[in-house]
Amino acid sequence: ELGPFTEDLNKTKPEYLKSFQYENKLMPSTWIVIRIDGCHFHRFSEVHEFEKPNDAQALNLMNSCAAGVLEEFKDIVFAYGVSDEYSFVLKKESQLYRRHASEIVSAVVSFFSSMYAIKWNEFCPHKEMKYPPYFDARAVCYPSCEILLDYLAWRQVDCHINNQYNTCFWMLVKSGKSKSEAQHYLKGTQAQEKNELLDQLSGTINYYNTLPLMFRQGSSVYWDKETKMVDNEGGGAGKSRKIVVVKHCNIIETSFWEAHPGILDEKHNDFRL
Amino acid sequence: ELGPFTEDLNKTKPEYLKSFQYENKLMPSTWIVIRIDGCHFHRFSEVHEFEKPNDAQALNLMNSCAAGVLEEFKDIVFAYGVSDEYSFVLKKESQLYRRHASEIVSAVVSFFSSMYAIKWNEFCPHKEMKYPPYFDARAVCYPSCEILLDYLAWRQVDCHINNQYNTCFWMLVKSGKSKSEAQHYLKGTQAQEKNELLDQLSGTINYYNTLPLMFRQGSSVYWDKETKMVDNEGGGAGKSRKIVVVKHCNIIETSFWEAHPGILDEKHNDFRL
Amino acid sequence: ELGPFTEDLNKTKPEYLKSFQYENKLMPSTWIVIRIDGCHFHRFSEVHEFEKPNDAQALNLMNSCAAGVLEEFKDIVFAYGVSDEYSFVLKKESQLYRRHASEIVSAVVSFFSSMYAIKWNEFCPHKEMKYPPYFDARAVCYPSCEILLDYLAWRQVDCHINNQYNTCFWMLVKSGKSKSEAQHYLKGTQAQEKNELLDQLSGTINYYNTLPLMFRQGSSVYWDKETKMVDNEGGGAGKSRKIVVVKHCNIIETSFWEAHPGILDEKHNDFRL
Amino acid sequence: ELGPFTEDLNKTKPEYLKSFQYENKLMPSTWIVIRIDGCHFHRFSEVHEFEKPNDAQALNLMNSCAAGVLEEFKDIVFAYGVSDEYSFVLKKESQLYRRHASEIVSAVVSFFSSMYAIKWNEFCPHKEMKYPPYFDARAVCYPSCEILLDYLAWRQVDCHINNQYNTCFWMLVKSGKSKSEAQHYLKGTQAQEKNELLDQLSGTINYYNTLPLMFRQGSSVYWDKETKMVDNEGGGAGKSRKIVVVKHCNIIETSFWEAHPGILDEKHNDFRL
């Protein structure tokens, strides 16, 4: 019944309608970073009773999804996550979706979201998911390795600053202060003062440094040689293979990058599949 | 331990690093369409044994997720879906995410994907999801209502053409032909010939028109007045309310749009919440 | 001597180097406006001793260049100019440079600039051009005729407001006030007060309305039927032809557009060459 | 008379109308190249009887305008021109027009065009300019110095290839062949064959290398220390100053860039004004 109209339409219109699509290619030979951020995750974390200031289960879920992203999209060479945010770094010469921003951004965030929902029960076994979580995402390009590392350092610094603040804030709240009192109390305090406050409230010297590395340094995800012997199919003498690892290391200092030259430099990368 | 470096970095770099973000605002006063498409869904449908040429459960799952999108994003006034594809239409004056393409595209596709994973068991109760499905997405703007309707008509025509072809193809395959024989057989056939072929293979006159409307016309999703009396909290005399409906109507002909003037025209829309 | 290197380079690189070009197509079926603006024209007008607040010679030069632009680029259907600014409107379906923003913008501003330099002596015969004037330019699209007319009305309103202010300002200065006194004096005054001030300073009732229309309404440039009889090659009975005209009319009111339906509506336009 | 409408319009519309402007910022920390190209210069060169295959006067005019561009836009550190094309390189950290593509492109091409018209008589003293020449222009960014140099090398290789072809072509035409015969004759010939052909037609060994460097290598424009003693205001012992120079050097080989480290590297650049 769509017949006659159909024939007519199909002959003349599709090219015209496609002409409204615009091209948004990301500059060649630059480092593409896809950053995803939880939408309304403040509410999501409350409804699902995430522990404050950090919920290890929820963070592990994020990390597991990020690892899945690296396994699915081979051009992603590194990811860094903190809180409800994750940054994915594509190798400089990646031709994923011919570098079309919209396709890259949407495929990555869609895969991540899908996996988040699927793995929820595994990581939060005693919590029912009340409604679908979702993330927004964007692509940013950096023209040099130096600026890319500055970007990653910035995210890790942000992790540290936010975590220190949040740790103080929630410790004050747990000590009986209201949220606005806690906020007022912390306004304008320096890093040093916050550390002293934490020591005092906890009764522990250098309390902040006793917190898990994941809370303080965020999570880095990348392909690495498996260090254990791999006993694959009838053994054989200690073959190594590459696996995606999640670590909580200092990525601000260059020593991390020097110890893992293959992450950003393809020339060191020939052992990747 | 991030201390001194941190302070230095944070003072100088963030603005510089943010300056690499580029703005991609969609033109004001135009109709934004977000179209999502399944990534590698050919394989996904095989692994999960979707019925061919149409799997009603899988389509109902898509439709349910689309309805969820309309409930979450109030600026989306219409959606049209077929196969593993869905188009979401935002109202012309929408300020969702201040019309930033990346945010709109990513939030919609992320929400849809998340919901797809969550609702899988409800719609495909006897199938285990083997791996995460995902979708790519893009935004396209249309400057006038006429061109928007041409776009939607194009998608519905595509639905019809593909469905007719696929129905023939799979009927031939089920009749014993190989896939490449079926393909060869259909090459260059016109709509009329395909209909005759279907009648012949099925032994039913006008077989194509006996197929479910959902397969032939795709699915349209929009807010509509609930027709039944609503007995909300202590009755009251038949108040109506708006709900998201999924219909399988002809959206090529103007009669649909004339019967639902509130969908595209805000002036008729004041009864929306 | 470039030999061997040359051969090598030419085989491998051009496609890669071209891949850095990005596409910036303007949305189909929208009204493209190219607006050019004098760069550092405040200084240019001082160095070349333009009359204040309006220099008729300089405005006529601008108008003549704009008319030349319409003759060169047939897709430009209307132009509106005031001071050192000109807006050129391309017809909605224009395919000029396949709607690539950079090419359209650069070609128009380049042609205009070239012509400005060439025609200088004709319009400012007793002034030497001391250094090259130049203009910046940008493209903006409007999705509907209504918004396009709002844009043009906005420019004409701006013309009026600026002209009224500048007329007062320079009259105060000529009456002996310093520039900063004049500025201070006018701060916060309404249209009505400015008109009264002008009447008072000039000793003329309704002085503002005695000023040339070009100063008060700016200049509109478009193709129109020549009203006079054209005596082309051996006469013949009063054939009309189209020429580019420069008028100083009110383009805020719809009457202008109703009287010239062919400017924006191609259906009325078949008599254009 | 614009009164009441005016007030109303001006209060509500400008922000809305400005919202249609889109931002097109060029990526920070990349090398911006503005390339201008003559529009319809084939015809322009015929109408103005440029010598074939190269007109030294016309090239000198292009070069003089390019030098003017460098003097006006201090962020442009290098320019390379051949035929009716010129590429202008902005320093990597340039904030010219806050890196807005449209403004940079339009201002450069406008200034160049204006200067071209103004200087015409100086360089082509016995030729009347028949109509306004104009250029289109575009911006391209390159993320690294290496790719930028590849770009410039590509343009110089193109210069060489085109010039060799054109020299052969016009020598054949001058020897009595028709244009299409000459074209046919040259089809598929290699560089070596073309050189032999030139030697044969001219009766000169290595004829190609006797041609002026400007024809074979194009023109490079940059700021350099003036080598002569400068006798500024009462002498003083040989102070140097920077001036814009036009040279015809090999920019494919790295030796040029090593000999002029200040062009691309700001650290060597502190003697620039």
Side-chain angles (χ1 to χ4, degrees):
Chain A
E1 60 200 297
L2 301 176
F5 189 88
T6 284
E7 308 279 314
D8 175 49
L9 186 92
N10 215 45
K11 268 172 202 141
T12 59
K13 290 288 174 56
E15 283 318 308
Y16 176 65
L17 292 164
K18 280 179 197 165
S19 74
F20 288 86
Q21 294 177 11
Y22 58 92
E23 199 175 80
N24 187 8
K25 280 199 175 181
L26 300 168
M27 192 186 293
S29 277
T30 58
W31 299 93
I32 302 171
V33 175
I34 306 298
R35 184 161 88 210
I36 70 172
D37 259 290
C39 288
H40 313 302
F41 254 58
H42 189 75
R43 182 175 160 241
F44 187 81
S45 68
E46 283 188 353
V47 168
H48 295 88
E49 298 176 335
F50 285 3
E51 273 184 45
K52 295 293 180 182
N54 295 288
D55 186 293
Q57 289 178 324
L59 292 174
N60 286 329
L61 171 54
M62 291 288 289
N63 295 343
S64 177
C65 295
V69 167
L70 267 81
E71 282 161 356
E72 178 72 18
F73 300 95
K74 301 298 187 199
D75 279 6
I76 296 180
V77 293
F78 188 77
Y80 176 74
V82 43
S83 182
D84 61 346
E85 162 192 323
Y86 242 102
S87 297
F88 297 96
V89 180
L90 279 82
K91 65 178 183 181
K92 204 170 72 165
E93 302 297 348
S94 173
Q95 292 302 322
L96 184 61
Y97 291 105
R98 289 169 303 130
R99 299 180 82 87
H100 282 278
S102 189
E103 275 87 338
I104 301 175
V105 164
S106 57
V108 168
V109 78
S110 171
F111 184 88
F112 189 95
S113 308
S114 188
M115 205 161 210
Y116 192 95
I118 290 168
K119 292 198 166 192
W120 175 267
N121 285 331
E122 179 186 338
F123 286 87
C124 307
H126 305 303
K127 286 177 185 172
E128 188 201 358
M129 188 182 269
K130 301 279 172 54
Y131 61 85
Y134 62 104
F135 301 83
D136 63 30
R138 65 173 65 210
V140 185
C141 292
Y142 295 105
S144 76
C145 196
E146 289 69 39
I147 306 178
L148 172 67
L149 294 190
D150 280 347
Y151 168 79
L152 293 171
W154 170 43
R155 300 323 301 144
Q156 190 164 51
V157 167
D158 241 35
C159 165
H160 167 68
I161 289 171
N162 290 332
N163 185 52
Q164 200 187 33
Y165 181 92
N166 291 336
T167 306
C168 290
F169 178 84
W170 288 102
M171 205 170 263
L172 286 168
V173 168
K174 284 167 190 169
S175 79
K177 289 216 183 324
S178 74
K179 285 185 182 179
S180 68
E181 283 170 348
Q183 208 173 0
H184 187 74
Y185 193 95
L186 290 169
K187 204 170 177 180
T189 53
Q190 298 299 305
Q192 182 58 20
E193 298 169 76
K194 290 203 192 74
N195 277 337
E196 286 164 13
L197 176 66
L198 289 175
D199 291 359
Q200 188 189 316
L201 287 168
S202 67
T204 310
I205 290 172
N206 272 329
Y207 173 76
Y208 187 75
N209 287 334
T210 68
L211 296 174
L213 267 175
M214 179 165 69
F215 299 171
R216 290 182 286 136
Q217 310 235 57
S219 300
S220 296
V221 186
Y222 50 94
W223 287 91
D224 206 357
K225 271 188 211 165
E226 203 175 24
T227 45
K228 293 183 288 183
M229 291 296 110
V230 180
D231 186 30
N232 48 355
E233 285 136 47
K239 277 193 187 163
S240 78
R241 58 167 194 181
K242 292 210 78 182
I243 55 165
V244 174
V245 297
V246 178
K247 305 280 183 181
H248 315 291
C249 33
N250 182 327
I251 56 172
I252 297 174
E253 300 198 3
T254 56
S255 53
F256 172 78
W257 302 103
E258 285 157 11
H260 299 82
I263 292 176
L264 298 181
D265 184 354
E266 282 194 75
K267 279 169 295 209
H268 290 87
N269 235 344
D270 39 21
F271 54 97
R272 184 180 301 151
L273 293 176
Chain B
E1 61 199 297
L2 300 175
F5 189 88
T6 284
E7 308 280 313
D8 174 50
L9 186 92
N10 217 44
K11 269 174 202 139
T12 58
K13 290 290 173 56
E15 283 318 306
Y16 176 66
L17 293 164
K18 280 178 197 166
S19 74
F20 287 87
Q21 295 177 11
Y22 59 93
E23 199 175 81
N24 187 9
K25 280 198 176 182
L26 299 168
M27 191 186 293
S29 278
T30 58
W31 299 93
I32 302 171
V33 174
I34 306 298
R35 185 161 87 211
I36 71 171
D37 258 290
C39 288
H40 313 302
F41 253 58
H42 189 76
R43 183 177 158 239
F44 187 81
S45 68
E46 283 188 353
V47 168
H48 294 89
E49 298 176 335
F50 284 4
E51 271 183 47
K52 295 293 181 182
N54 295 289
D55 187 293
Q57 289 179 325
L59 291 175
N60 286 329
L61 170 54
M62 291 287 290
N63 295 343
S64 177
C65 294
V69 167
L70 266 80
E71 281 161 356
E72 179 71 18
F73 300 95
K74 301 297 188 199
D75 279 6
I76 297 180
V77 292
F78 189 78
Y80 176 74
V82 42
S83 183
D84 61 345
E85 161 193 322
Y86 241 103
S87 297
F88 297 95
V89 180
L90 279 83
K91 64 178 184 182
K92 205 170 72 165
E93 302 298 347
S94 174
Q95 291 303 321
L96 184 62
Y97 292 105
R98 290 169 303 130
R99 299 179 82 87
H100 282 278
S102 190
E103 274 86 338
I104 301 175
V105 164
S106 56
V108 168
V109 78
S110 171
F111 185 87
F112 189 95
S113 308
S114 188
M115 205 161 209
Y116 192 97
I118 290 168
K119 293 198 165 189
W120 175 266
N121 285 330
E122 179 187 337
F123 286 87
C124 307
H126 305 303
K127 286 178 184 171
E128 187 201 358
M129 188 183 268
K130 302 278 172 55
Y131 60 87
Y134 62 104
F135 300 83
D136 64 29
R138 65 172 64 209
V140 185
C141 293
Y142 295 104
S144 75
C145 196
E146 288 69 39
I147 306 178
L148 171 67
L149 294 190
D150 280 347
Y151 168 79
L152 293 170
W154 170 43
R155 299 324 301 144
Q156 190 165 50
V157 167
D158 241 36
C159 165
H160 166 68
I161 289 171
N162 291 332
N163 185 52
Q164 199 187 35
Y165 180 92
N166 292 335
T167 306
C168 289
F169 177 84
W170 287 102
M171 206 170 262
L172 286 168
V173 168
K174 282 167 191 168
S175 79
K177 289 214 184 325
S178 75
K179 285 185 183 178
S180 68
E181 283 169 348
Q183 207 173 1
H184 187 73
Y185 194 94
L186 290 169
K187 205 171 176 178
T189 52
Q190 299 297 307
Q192 181 59 19
E193 299 169 74
K194 291 203 193 73
N195 276 337
E196 288 163 12
L197 176 66
L198 289 175
D199 291 359
Q200 188 189 318
L201 287 168
S202 66
T204 310
I205 289 171
N206 272 329
Y207 173 75
Y208 187 75
N209 288 334
T210 68
L211 296 175
L213 267 174
M214 178 165 71
F215 299 171
R216 290 183 286 137
Q217 310 234 58
S219 300
S220 295
V221 186
Y222 51 94
W223 288 91
D224 206 358
K225 271 189 214 164
E226 203 175 23
T227 45
K228 292 183 289 183
M229 292 295 111
V230 180
D231 186 31
N232 49 353
E233 284 134 48
K239 277 192 186 163
S240 77
R241 57 168 195 182
K242 291 209 78 180
I243 55 165
V244 174
V245 297
V246 178
K247 304 279 183 182
H248 315 291
C249 32
N250 182 327
I251 57 171
I252 297 174
E253 301 198 3
T254 54
S255 53
F256 172 79
W257 302 103
E258 284 157 13
H260 299 83
I263 293 177
L264 299 182
D265 184 354
E266 282 194 77
K267 279 169 296 209
H268 292 87
N269 235 344
D270 39 20
F271 54 95
R272 184 180 300 149
L273 294 175
Chain C
E1 61 200 296
L2 301 175
F5 189 88
T6 284
E7 308 279 314
D8 175 49
L9 186 93
N10 216 44
K11 269 173 202 140
T12 59
K13 291 288 173 55
E15 282 318 306
Y16 176 66
L17 292 165
K18 281 178 196 165
S19 74
F20 287 86
Q21 295 177 10
Y22 59 92
E23 200 175 81
N24 187 10
K25 280 198 177 181
L26 300 168
M27 192 186 293
S29 278
T30 57
W31 298 92
I32 302 171
V33 174
I34 307 298
R35 184 162 87 211
I36 70 171
D37 259 292
C39 287
H40 314 304
F41 253 57
H42 189 76
R43 183 176 158 240
F44 187 81
S45 67
E46 284 189 352
V47 167
H48 295 88
E49 298 176 334
F50 284 4
E51 271 182 47
K52 295 293 181 183
N54 295 287
D55 186 294
Q57 287 179 327
L59 291 175
N60 286 329
L61 170 54
M62 290 289 288
N63 294 344
S64 177
C65 295
V69 167
L70 265 83
E71 281 161 358
E72 178 72 17
F73 300 95
K74 301 297 187 199
D75 280 6
I76 297 180
V77 292
F78 188 78
Y80 176 75
V82 43
S83 182
D84 61 345
E85 162 193 322
Y86 241 103
S87 298
F88 298 95
V89 180
L90 279 82
K91 64 178 184 182
K92 205 170 71 164
E93 302 298 348
S94 172
Q95 291 304 320
L96 183 63
Y97 291 106
R98 289 168 304 129
R99 298 179 82 87
H100 282 277
S102 190
E103 274 87 338
I104 300 175
V105 163
S106 56
V108 168
V109 78
S110 171
F111 184 88
F112 189 94
S113 308
S114 187
M115 205 160 209
Y116 192 95
I118 290 169
K119 293 198 166 190
W120 176 266
N121 285 331
E122 178 186 338
F123 286 87
C124 307
H126 305 302
K127 286 178 185 172
E128 187 201 358
M129 188 183 268
K130 301 279 173 52
Y131 60 85
Y134 62 105
F135 300 83
D136 64 30
R138 64 173 63 209
V140 185
C141 293
Y142 295 104
S144 75
C145 195
E146 287 70 38
I147 307 177
L148 172 67
L149 294 190
D150 280 348
Y151 168 79
L152 292 171
W154 171 42
R155 300 322 303 144
Q156 190 165 51
V157 168
D158 241 36
C159 165
H160 167 69
I161 290 172
N162 290 332
N163 185 53
Q164 201 187 33
Y165 180 91
N166 292 335
T167 306
C168 289
F169 177 85
W170 287 102
M171 206 171 262
L172 286 167
V173 168
K174 283 167 192 170
S175 79
K177 288 215 182 325
S178 75
K179 284 185 184 179
S180 67
E181 282 169 349
Q183 208 173 0
H184 187 74
Y185 193 94
L186 290 169
K187 205 172 178 179
T189 52
Q190 300 297 307
Q192 181 60 19
E193 299 169 75
K194 291 203 192 73
N195 277 336
E196 288 162 13
L197 175 65
L198 288 175
D199 291 359
Q200 188 189 319
L201 287 168
S202 66
T204 311
I205 289 172
N206 272 329
Y207 173 75
Y208 187 76
N209 287 334
T210 67
L211 296 175
L213 268 175
M214 180 165 70
F215 299 170
R216 290 183 286 135
Q217 311 235 57
S219 301
S220 295
V221 186
Y222 51 94
W223 287 92
D224 205 358
K225 271 188 212 163
E226 203 176 22
T227 45
K228 294 182 287 181
M229 291 297 111
V230 180
D231 185 32
N232 49 353
E233 285 136 46
K239 275 194 187 163
S240 76
R241 58 168 194 182
K242 292 209 78 183
I243 54 164
V244 174
V245 297
V246 178
K247 304 279 184 183
H248 315 293
C249 33
N250 182 327
I251 58 172
I252 297 174
E253 300 198 4
T254 55
S255 53
F256 172 79
W257 302 102
E258 285 157 12
H260 299 82
I263 292 177
L264 299 181
D265 184 353
E266 282 194 75
K267 279 168 297 210
H268 291 85
N269 234 344
D270 38 21
F271 53 98
R272 184 180 301 149
L273 294 176
Chain D
E1 62 199 299
L2 301 175
F5 189 89
T6 284
E7 307 280 314
D8 176 49
L9 187 94
N10 215 44
K11 269 173 201 139
T12 59
K13 291 288 173 55
E15 282 318 305
Y16 176 65
L17 292 164
K18 281 179 196 165
S19 74
F20 287 87
Q21 295 177 13
Y22 59 92
E23 199 175 80
N24 187 9
K25 280 198 176 183
L26 299 168
M27 191 185 294
S29 278
T30 57
W31 298 93
I32 302 171
V33 175
I34 306 298
R35 184 162 85 211
I36 70 171
D37 259 290
C39 288
H40 314 303
F41 254 57
H42 189 74
R43 181 175 160 242
F44 187 81
S45 67
E46 284 188 352
V47 168
H48 295 87
E49 298 177 333
F50 285 4
E51 272 183 45
K52 295 294 182 182
N54 294 289
D55 186 294
Q57 288 178 324
L59 292 174
N60 285 329
L61 170 55
M62 291 288 289
N63 294 344
S64 177
C65 295
V69 168
L70 266 82
E71 281 161 357
E72 178 72 17
F73 300 95
K74 301 297 189 200
D75 279 6
I76 297 180
V77 292
F78 188 78
Y80 176 74
V82 42
S83 182
D84 61 345
E85 162 194 322
Y86 241 102
S87 297
F88 297 95
V89 180
L90 279 82
K91 66 179 183 181
K92 206 171 71 166
E93 303 297 348
S94 172
Q95 292 302 321
L96 183 61
Y97 291 105
R98 289 169 304 130
R99 298 180 82 87
H100 282 277
S102 189
E103 274 86 338
I104 300 175
V105 164
S106 56
V108 168
V109 78
S110 171
F111 184 87
F112 189 95
S113 309
S114 187
M115 204 160 210
Y116 191 95
I118 291 169
K119 292 199 166 190
W120 175 266
N121 285 332
E122 178 187 338
F123 286 86
C124 306
H126 305 302
K127 287 177 184 172
E128 187 202 359
M129 188 182 268
K130 302 276 173 53
Y131 60 85
Y134 62 104
F135 301 83
D136 64 29
R138 63 173 64 210
V140 185
C141 293
Y142 295 105
S144 75
C145 195
E146 288 69 39
I147 306 177
L148 171 67
L149 294 190
D150 281 347
Y151 168 79
L152 292 170
W154 171 42
R155 300 323 302 143
Q156 190 164 50
V157 167
D158 241 36
C159 165
H160 167 68
I161 290 171
N162 290 332
N163 185 51
Q164 201 187 32
Y165 180 91
N166 291 335
T167 306
C168 289
F169 177 85
W170 287 101
M171 205 171 262
L172 287 167
V173 168
K174 283 166 192 170
S175 80
K177 290 213 183 326
S178 74
K179 284 186 183 178
S180 67
E181 282 170 348
Q183 208 173 0
H184 187 74
Y185 193 95
L186 289 169
K187 205 172 178 179
T189 53
Q190 299 298 306
Q192 182 57 22
E193 299 169 75
K194 290 203 193 74
N195 276 337
E196 286 163 12
L197 175 66
L198 289 175
D199 290 0
Q200 188 189 318
L201 287 169
S202 66
T204 310
I205 290 173
N206 272 329
Y207 172 76
Y208 187 75
N209 287 334
T210 66
L211 297 175
L213 267 175
M214 179 165 71
F215 299 170
R216 289 183 287 137
Q217 311 234 55
S219 301
S220 295
V221 186
Y222 51 94
W223 288 91
D224 205 359
K225 272 189 211 163
E226 202 175 24
T227 46
K228 293 183 288 181
M229 291 296 110
V230 180
D231 186 32
N232 49 354
E233 285 137 46
K239 276 191 187 165
S240 77
R241 58 168 194 181
K242 292 209 77 183
I243 54 165
V244 174
V245 297
V246 178
K247 304 279 183 181
H248 316 292
C249 33
N250 182 327
I251 58 172
I252 297 174
E253 300 199 5
T254 55
S255 53
F256 171 78
W257 302 103
E258 285 158 11
H260 300 82
I263 293 176
L264 299 181
D265 185 353
E266 282 193 75
K267 279 170 296 209
H268 291 86
N269 235 345
D270 38 20
F271 55 97
R272 184 180 301 150
L273 294 175

